[in-house]
Amino acid sequence: LHNLKRHGLGGEGFFLCGYNGAEIVEVTSGREIASSRMDGELARDIFRIAAQYPVEIMAHLHGKVYSGNVEGFHAKTDAVVNGIELFPIDADGVRDLRPAKFLGAGKRADLERMAERLRSEFGPETEIVFSADELLEVNSAGIDKGWGLRQLAGALNIPIEHTVAFGDNYNDLAMIQAAGLGVAMGNAVPEVLAAADRVAPTCYDDGFAAVIDELF
């Protein structure tokens, strides 16, 4: 909603598919279309392990961000860029919150070490993927942008083969594969480029608009 307002767009016909696909909300009514929340004990354990690494770990749910370090650069940036409230939280609070996802932020090498540890301990229970070199997404198993797209399409009675998805990073891969037409931006990571049905011009060359104009 924050980003729609920034660009002078109303909410009619828009759905917010956030938290790496874990929560879908109709903009105008605030009606929740789908939501997946993490098991409380699992969330607490992830939070405790993340605290052992030199990264910032943030929990997300219902348009709010929670952090063990509200003065951290990434926590403040997340709140400001997305126009959401920032709250302090500890491991027990995370357990009770049962967030939709975690976002880890920091140096790539530190995040990779943390991701390896989380996969070794909770692999079958989690989906762990990079959304940028300095950002790591952690969701419950089976929850990704592909799940979100299928949930939204089902709620709108739209066959999945009639959907179009655009993406450029690792966490877009499941969505690209799930969509009827998966479009990689020209600046996408190699895995997304390889999986896509077609490649658009880059984000910097208005690639999304070019494909939408062609299709509609």
Side-chain angles (χ1 to χ4, degrees):
L1 185 58
H2 174 66
N3 286 312
L4 288 176
K5 289 178 178 177
R6 284 177 55 203
H7 295 286
L9 297 172
E12 190 67 36
F14 279 92
F15 296 83
L16 302 180
C17 303
Y19 309 144
N20 214 34
E23 187 174 280
I24 304 172
V25 177
E26 185 177 35
V27 169
T28 50
S29 68
R31 178 171 61 97
E32 185 177 270
I33 305 298
S35 178
S36 172
R37 296 172 65 179
M38 196 171 288
D39 174 79
E41 300 298 320
L42 173 63
R44 181 194 61 190
D45 292 343
I46 289 173
F47 190 82
R48 285 177 173 172
I49 286 176
Q52 300 172 22
Y53 294 84
V55 303
E56 286 185 48
I57 188 77
M58 290 152 278
H60 292 80
L61 184 69
H62 299 331
K64 298 179 177 64
V65 58
Y66 301 81
S67 173
N69 177 16
V70 293
E71 295 301 319
F73 171 79
H74 294 286
K76 285 185 174 181
T77 299
D78 192 8
V80 171
V81 169
N82 292 300
I84 55 181
E85 295 180 272
L86 173 62
F87 299 92
I89 202 166
D90 59 14
D92 289 335
V94 166
R95 178 196 58 205
D96 298 337
L97 179 68
R98 296 185 56 221
K101 79 156 188 177
F102 283 110
L103 177 67
K107 294 181 179 179
R108 176 78 185 216
D110 295 325
L111 290 172
E112 286 180 342
R113 289 193 298 113
M114 185 181 76
E116 183 177 357
R117 170 86 178 278
L118 293 176
R119 289 189 182 106
S120 69
E121 298 204 21
F122 312 115
E125 301 175 77
T126 57
E127 297 288 342
I128 301 174
V129 62
F130 279 90
S131 55
D133 278 341
E134 73 284 358
L135 298 175
L136 183 73
E137 313 270 352
V138 183
N139 288 87
S140 298
I143 305 303
D144 51 34
K145 291 186 181 183
W147 181 87
L149 178 61
R150 288 189 292 271
Q151 295 297 312
L152 179 58
L156 298 176
N157 294 315
I158 296 173
I160 194 68
E161 58 267 26
H162 292 174
T163 62
V164 184
F166 295 76
D168 61 2
N169 221 315
Y170 300 105
N171 64 328
D172 296 320
L173 183 58
M175 178 179 64
I176 291 292
Q177 293 171 327
L181 176 64
V183 183
M185 306 307 297
N187 52 284
V189 297
E191 289 84 348
V192 171
L193 289 169
D197 298 305
R198 63 175 292 179
V199 178
T202 71
C203 292
Y204 313 104
D205 297 316
D206 296 331
F208 176 85
V211 175
I212 289 296
D213 284 345
E214 177 187 329
L215 293 176
F216 300 106

